[in-house]
Amino acid sequence: MENSKQLATFAGGCFWCMVKPFDEQPGIISVISGYTGGHVENPTYEQVCSESTGHYEAVQITFDPEIFPYEKLLELYWQQIDPTDPGGQFHDRGQSYQTAIFYHNEKQRELAEQSKQNLQDSGRFTKPVVTPILPAKTFYPAEEYHQAYYKKNKAHYEQYHVGSGRAGFIQAHWGKKK
């Protein structure tokens, strides 16, 4: 059903590493790498990396909430990031690599706030959860070579996922490989 589709937008550091975990779930229609939250129209990767546009690297997920509800997306999102790091993610530093949940409606905002509070209250992290919850802004798809990077460049993706520190962090905090 066309009207059962919804959008979710998450920034979690390098967007290459944010596609695969969502892409592999039932009810996920598409996961697009791109840029959001900034002040430049149609930014390029180079512009965003220059830290001059205000954009985050992010993924925009089209999903069927009947099959994979937003609450489950949030749960999976938290397991991909270090929500206590305000300066970027793992070896990727700077504003474009910071985390954020971009909500598309009031219900998503409420669910995201509750999810963040639950994570803070869980004691899983000793530092405060600093990931902001922000209103969704225009989302610009990244260049084609960034889309589904984990499929197109498997070896480099795996090397980056491990080398950046992300894989080890996920294993240490959530007990999951990759």
Side-chain angles (χ1 to χ4, degrees):
M1 292 197 293
E2 193 62 36
N3 60 355
S4 66
K5 292 180 185 175
Q6 291 185 19
L7 291 176
T9 305
F10 301 126
C14 177
F15 48 34
W16 292 348
C17 294
M18 293 299 293
V19 174
K20 185 179 181 183
F22 295 101
D23 208 24
E24 298 180 330
Q25 302 304 318
I28 303 303
I29 297 155
S30 69
V31 184
I32 306 294
S33 295
Y35 317 110
T36 193
H39 54 80
V40 172
E41 287 188 33
N42 298 306
T44 65
Y45 181 67
E46 289 73 23
Q47 287 175 309
V48 172
C49 289
S50 77
E51 300 288 325
S52 64
T53 69
H55 287 90
Y56 295 76
E57 282 195 15
V59 291
Q60 190 159 82
I61 302 162
T62 304
F63 68 103
D64 182 341
E66 298 294 315
I67 299 171
F68 206 87
Y70 190 68
E71 294 90 331
K72 285 185 74 173
L73 287 173
L74 289 166
E75 192 176 305
L76 185 56
Y77 169 71
W78 293 121
Q79 294 177 34
Q80 308 311 312
I81 65 166
D82 177 354
T84 69
D85 185 348
Q89 286 293 284
F90 313 107
H91 292 192
D92 294 317
R93 310 314 301 159
Q95 187 272 320
S96 64
Y97 293 113
Q98 291 173 334
T99 61
I101 296 170
F102 294 93
Y103 61 88
H104 290 268
N105 56 49
E106 191 58 22
K107 181 71 172 163
Q108 283 189 357
R109 186 194 65 75
E110 291 170 10
L111 290 169
E113 294 283 2
Q114 185 59 58
S115 175
K116 179 179 176 177
Q117 190 59 54
N118 291 348
L119 182 61
Q120 184 64 57
D121 293 347
S122 74
R124 186 177 292 274
F125 298 99
T126 55
K127 296 187 284 186
V129 174
V130 297
T131 299
I133 298 168
L134 306 168
K137 293 179 82 173
T138 304
F139 182 87
Y140 300 99
E143 295 80 355
E144 182 55 37
Y145 71 93
H146 290 301
Q147 304 303 332
Y149 193 83
Y150 78 98
K151 291 179 182 176
K152 294 176 183 172
N153 296 284
K154 285 183 178 168
H156 185 253
Y157 166 79
E158 289 298 331
Q159 183 181 20
Y160 182 83
H161 191 254
V162 172
S164 68
R166 186 181 297 262
F169 182 89
I170 292 169
Q171 177 63 36
H173 287 85
W174 298 96
K176 293 182 180 177
K177 290 189 167 92
K178 298 183 187 172

